[in-house]
Amino acid sequence: MSHRRAAAAAILLPLALLLAGCDEDALVVRGIVVAVQQSSPAQVQGFTLRSDAGQLLVFEIGELESGGGSFPAVHLRDHLASASPIAVRYVVKGERLIVMRMADAP
C-alpha cells in the first residue's frame, strides 16, 4: 500500500467505523472537545465540541455503542487536556444532540 493510501486510510477509517451500521438519521462531526460536563470522575453527562467548521456544539451522552475504535465518555477528559480531535456520531432529538458513538479522529 502506498504512503498516500495508508495516510488516507488512517484518516477515513475512524469516520467509516462511526458510520458502520448507523441509524439513517445519525450525523457525524469532527472537532475538539472544549468542555466536559460531569457530576463525578466516572459520570459524564455531556460535552461541548468545537467542530472543524468552527461551530460550538453541546452534546448529551446517550446510550453509547462500543467496539470498533469507540471510547467511553470518561475518555473525553483526555481529549480536553490534549486537544486531540474526536469524531462523534449523534442524532438530533428536538433541540438536543444525543451522542451515540465517539472515536479518536486523525
Side-chain angles (χ1 to χ4, degrees), residues 35-39 43-48 58-59 61 77:
V36 176
Q37 294 78 44
Q38 61 189 124
S39 56
Q43 294 282 50
V44 176
Q45 286 76 34
F47 64 97
T48 303
V58 178
F59 291 99
I61 301 298
R77 299 290 301 167

Side-chain angles (χ1 to χ4, degrees), residues 33 36-47 61 64 71-81 102:
V33 176
V36 176
Q37 294 78 44
Q38 61 189 124
S39 56
S40 72
Q43 294 282 50
V44 176
Q45 286 76 34
F47 64 97
I61 301 298
L64 295 176
F71 59 76
V74 295
H75 182 63
L76 287 167
R77 299 290 301 167
D78 295 336
H79 283 272
L80 177 64
M102 299 176 287

Side-chain angles (χ1 to χ4, degrees), residues 14-74:
L15 294 177
L17 289 172
L18 279 173
L19 293 172
C22 72
D23 182 318
E24 286 182 15
D25 296 329
L27 302 168
V28 176
V29 65
R30 180 184 183 277
I32 304 293
V33 176
V34 296
V36 176
Q37 294 78 44
Q38 61 189 124
S39 56
S40 72
Q43 294 282 50
V44 176
Q45 286 76 34
F47 64 97
T48 303
L49 184 89
R50 181 180 304 115
S51 74
D52 287 349
Q55 293 177 296
L56 283 179
L57 303 168
V58 178
F59 291 99
E60 294 177 31
I61 301 298
E63 187 174 329
L64 295 176
E65 299 169 3
S66 60
S70 64
F71 59 76
V74 295

